[in-house]
Amino acid sequence: MVVCGDDGLAHRLAAELRGVYREQVTLVVPPSGRRVRQPVVGRARAASAALLDMVNAAVNRSGNGDQGGADRELEATEPTEDVLADAGVERATALALVYDDDETNIRAALTARRLNPRLRLVLRLYNRRLGQHIEELLDQSAALATRDGSGSGPDGGPDAGAGAWSGSGSGSGSGSTTVLSDADTAAPALAATALVGTSKIVDTDGILLRAVERHPPAPGEVADPGLCTLALLSATSNDPAGTDGSEDSGEQGPQLLPDAAAVEAATGRGTVVLEQVSYSGPPLPAGRAGVPAFGELFSRRLRWSLAGLAACVVALAVALMVVTGDHPLHATYVTLLDLFSINEPAHNDDVGRQILQLLSGFVGLLLLPVLLAAVLEALGTFRTASSLRKPPRGLGGHVVLLGLGKIGTRVLTRLREMDIPVVCVEADPEARGMATARRLRVPVVLGDVTQEGVLEAAKIHRAHSLLALTSVDTTNLEAVLYARSVRSRLRVVLRLYDDDFATAVYRTLRAAHPRALTRSRSVTHLAAPSFAGAMMGRQILGAIPVERRVLLFAAVEVAGHPQLEGKTVGEAFRAGAWRVLALEVADGASGGGRAGSGGPVGSSGSVGSRLVWELPDTYVLRGVDRVVLAATRRGLAELLGRRARHGSGV
């Protein structure tokens, strides 16, 4: 694996590949004097090494030349053709280009594709539309070069590199290109942290899943298994205010993917279960579309006025029908003529008819200003439909999102996709996320969060959590401290770039507010697993650490895997190796169930395809099925037919 970058994401990614996936990594970074935010990058390297120690303590690193999570490190100002060749791109399995500049990444990707058409490319681009075009262009170039036999890269043989996959259905995609944005990849974890306080999540087709550590059940108490039990912990305690995960505290290590007998026999051990991230707070207000609903066109007072006038018209029509004996339709017609003053005066009619005509004319005079007000209100509503909304009265249980920049905009979109009420706070009226907030009709408070009264306007005293996602660490910290002074047990999530600063802030806030949940998150730290999964192949959805071991989540085609094809879900489960979690089916399908096979139940997903969870053990996996499974590193390697490197452990 080759990783090229100029900020902390490159070091984080190298540590993820080396520590979680046990890959041989070559890291290409600028010289020390020319790196972006050089002092922080130095700390990022140390942080990446710490991350490596945490998730990979069992790896023997002697003789590997490991430097901050990489087996080899090169210094180069730009990723030129000579630099890429020196890094071994021609023999590599995957290349990640995570420079902060889109043009640099695109130029290097074009060069790398020419050097190795079979190379798996992962690019970091901020421009989504441009990224789609670049991905199609590079994939087409790789397909043509491979078809013409001009590529000299890895061919899946013994020299294909440590990251080569073999076996049908692995989905690794020889010569594939994946374009990612750190904002997009970090948004699900930030959204999940705001809701449930953890970033141990996996994004599967738009559905967020989290790994939850639970205490051993009390005597006579039945533990909730969630979607499934992922592991039995060695530790028996859980600190909800502490860091995600726990350290090995006993002699017995965690047991990954245990079977039902092991779970039932385990006593005094905590468990890690899989749950779907959901929101149980107040629902969104109705009418979130771009065009307001009819009820939102007019104020409540105007609606009552219109209803009263309509009732008067009906009463006058009924009275005219009684006095004159006319047909109901004719009586209503005559009443409307009198109402709009276009009927003949009732000079020669009886007194009752004359009184009704006068009353109808009076009601018509009242109707004119009401109709004018309705027209003005409707026009004003349509005119301000794209403007900023204010937080409604009585709002509570919402998420206060501070900052509508690149990261904040992605998180806002994700929260609204999950139907979570949000109030945004932004100081710049021209911020890139303002248009998104208008389109989604999200309340926005314009103002500097460091000024008094801004957070109060966002109803911070009744909020569920605060997401401070501005690009300035001190602003995020000040907002969190002020919010905690208003509501001491408020759940807060900070975006902090400096790792040392984040650690100090987290420890201090935890000590000052031990009963409140505090999380400090780095975007590079949250984005690195997604980039690493893309480098490993598109079938990798994510990884979740369990104490000092790691569980991988992957999407796998059943065809070509004898351990899955033709077997029931129960037969395909191998304790300690892999477990089928969900089945992907086309939208509108029955889930693949057949008579006598025990069709799946409990589906959820998105348009086009959906994931069916809680598959019965009797469901038979077919070759056309695509499943999501949890596996250990060794189990996934065995399932996908991967060639294990010497010395790689579980």
Side-chain angles (χ1 to χ4, degrees):
M1 302 287 176
V2 180
V3 178
C4 302
D6 58 357
D7 60 6
L9 179 57
H11 293 280
R12 293 280 188 185
L13 178 54
E16 187 82 12
L17 292 170
R18 186 69 180 89
V20 176
Y21 299 102
R22 308 290 174 83
E23 291 296 327
Q24 296 177 355
V25 183
T26 297
L27 179 61
V28 180
V29 293
S32 300
R34 301 192 60 176
R35 297 180 190 176
V36 177
R37 296 191 184 185
Q38 189 269 335
V40 179
V41 169
R43 284 188 289 269
R45 177 184 295 183
S48 66
L51 173 66
L52 179 62
D53 291 337
M54 181 183 68
V55 299
N56 194 29
V59 175
N60 182 5
R61 300 161 74 182
S62 60
N64 290 337
D66 191 348
Q67 299 177 6
D71 296 292
R72 181 185 176 208
E73 182 173 321
L74 301 177
E75 290 190 350
T77 304
E78 293 183 358
T80 61
E81 182 174 349
D82 293 338
V83 172
L84 293 176
D86 189 22
V89 166
E90 296 178 355
R91 303 178 305 277
T93 301
L95 166 66
L97 297 166
V98 293
Y99 290 94
D100 195 55
D101 179 53
D102 285 2
E103 183 180 350
T104 302
N105 293 327
I106 294 173
R107 189 188 311 116
L110 296 174
T111 303
R113 178 61 77 215
R114 188 179 71 254
L115 293 175
N116 187 353
R118 298 177 181 271
L119 182 68
R120 188 183 303 126
L121 288 174
V122 179
L123 279 72
R124 171 192 187 184
L125 295 182
Y126 297 124
N127 191 327
R128 281 179 164 183
R129 183 171 300 177
L130 176 61
Q132 294 176 356
H133 295 311
I134 291 296
E135 185 173 342
E136 294 174 359
L137 175 65
L138 292 174
D139 282 345
Q140 183 178 2
S141 174
L144 292 175
T146 304
R147 185 184 309 165
D148 296 339
S150 60
S152 59
D155 56 3
D159 297 329
W165 295 84
S166 62
S168 61
S170 67
S172 59
S174 177
S176 65
T177 305
T178 305
V179 177
L180 298 175
S181 166
D182 50 355
D184 288 331
T185 54
L190 289 170
T193 305
L195 294 180
V196 294
T198 179
S199 60
K200 286 185 178 180
I201 61 103
V202 176
D203 187 4
T204 57
D205 196 23
I207 301 174
L208 293 181
L209 304 174
R210 64 165 175 167
V212 183
E213 294 184 13
R214 290 185 175 169
H215 292 284
E221 180 180 322
V222 179
D224 183 9
L227 293 176
C228 71
T229 300
L230 296 177
L232 297 174
L233 296 174
S234 59
T236 59
S237 62
N238 186 7
D239 182 8
T243 58
D244 293 339
S246 59
E247 301 293 333
D248 288 343
S249 59
E251 297 180 357
Q252 186 178 16
Q255 183 178 350
L256 302 183
L257 301 176
D259 54 20
V263 174
E264 186 177 354
T267 56
R269 299 180 66 179
T271 59
V272 177
V273 299
L274 190 66
E275 291 182 346
Q276 182 175 339
V277 175
S278 59
Y279 178 70
S280 58
L284 281 174
R288 55 177 292 183
V291 178
F294 178 79
E296 296 184 3
L297 290 177
F298 311 116
S299 64
R300 177 176 298 181
R301 182 178 301 177
L302 184 58
R303 292 198 300 269
W304 278 110
S305 300
L306 290 172
L309 289 174
C312 290
V313 172
V314 173
L316 289 172
V318 172
L320 182 62
M321 181 182 63
V322 172
V323 170
T324 62
D326 286 346
H327 188 273
L329 292 179
H330 185 264
T332 303
Y333 172 69
V334 173
T335 301
L336 292 177
L337 292 179
D338 294 336
L339 190 71
F340 296 113
S341 301
I342 57 178
N343 196 11
E344 293 291 337
H347 293 296
N348 301 322
D349 293 339
D350 54 23
V351 177
R353 173 72 183 88
Q354 292 176 350
I355 294 176
L356 288 177
Q357 190 177 55
L358 291 176
L359 291 176
S360 298
F362 180 73
V363 172
L365 293 177
L366 297 177
L367 180 61
L368 289 177
V370 174
L371 291 177
L372 179 61
V375 171
L376 294 178
E377 277 201 9
L379 292 176
T381 301
F382 278 110
R383 185 177 61 252
T384 59
S386 60
S387 62
L388 298 177
R389 297 168 58 88
K390 294 182 179 180
R393 293 181 179 179
L395 179 65
H398 57 288
V399 175
V400 176
L401 176 61
L402 173 57
L404 285 176
K406 180 183 62 176
I407 304 297
T409 303
R410 299 289 192 267
V411 174
L412 170 62
T413 303
R414 194 55 185 265
L415 290 173
R416 291 311 293 261
E417 288 175 352
M418 300 171 66
D419 289 337
I420 298 169
V422 185
V423 175
C424 299
V425 179
E426 176 56 55
D428 182 10
E430 302 298 328
R432 70 171 66 195
M434 298 298 282
T436 302
R438 292 188 183 96
R439 176 174 56 84
L440 298 176
R441 307 194 70 206
V442 175
V444 177
V445 177
L446 281 176
D448 187 354
V449 72
T450 60
Q451 297 178 353
E452 187 176 356
V454 174
L455 283 178
E456 283 84 351
K459 315 291 185 184
I460 192 65
H461 57 287
R462 292 200 297 264
H464 174 270
S465 56
L466 170 65
L467 270 169
L469 303 180
T470 71
S471 57
V472 182
D473 288 0
T474 54
T475 300
N476 294 335
L477 177 59
E478 184 174 356
V480 167
L481 293 177
Y482 182 75
R484 277 285 169 80
S485 67
V486 176
R487 186 179 178 185
S488 60
R489 300 189 63 177
L490 178 70
R491 173 176 294 171
V492 297
V493 181
L494 296 83
R495 173 194 175 189
L496 298 177
Y497 189 88
D498 192 322
D499 293 321
D500 295 340
F501 186 47
T503 301
V505 168
Y506 166 74
R507 290 175 177 173
T508 304
L509 286 176
R510 181 186 174 188
H513 303 277
R515 303 188 65 182
L517 192 143
T518 304
R519 292 289 181 261
S520 58
R521 295 289 182 248
S522 166
V523 173
T524 58
H525 180 76
L526 296 175
S530 296
F531 281 83
M535 293 187 72
M536 296 301 301
R538 296 181 179 179
Q539 76 277 4
I540 301 295
L541 300 176
I544 291 180
V546 180
E547 297 184 1
R548 292 189 179 274
R549 302 178 71 182
V550 175
L551 270 178
L552 304 179
F553 292 81
V556 177
E557 302 285 348
V558 173
H561 296 94
Q563 303 94 328
L564 303 177
E565 190 172 4
K567 297 182 180 296
T568 64
V569 173
E571 294 171 345
F573 171 50
R574 182 179 297 182
W578 63 75
R579 177 173 186 168
V580 176
L581 301 177
L583 173 70
E584 182 180 298
V585 297
D587 197 21
S590 62
R594 303 187 300 278
S597 64
V601 295
S603 62
S604 62
S606 58
V607 178
S609 65
R610 55 194 175 97
L611 292 176
V612 180
W613 301 91
E614 300 182 24
L615 290 169
D617 290 341
T618 55
Y619 174 71
V620 179
L621 299 174
R622 300 171 296 175
V624 296
D625 290 338
R626 187 168 185 261
V627 297
V628 175
L629 52 83
T632 62
R633 281 190 295 256
R634 180 175 295 173
L636 187 61
E638 178 184 351
L639 180 64
L640 300 181
R642 188 182 180 193
R643 297 171 176 82
R645 193 169 63 248
H646 176 70
S648 65
V650 176

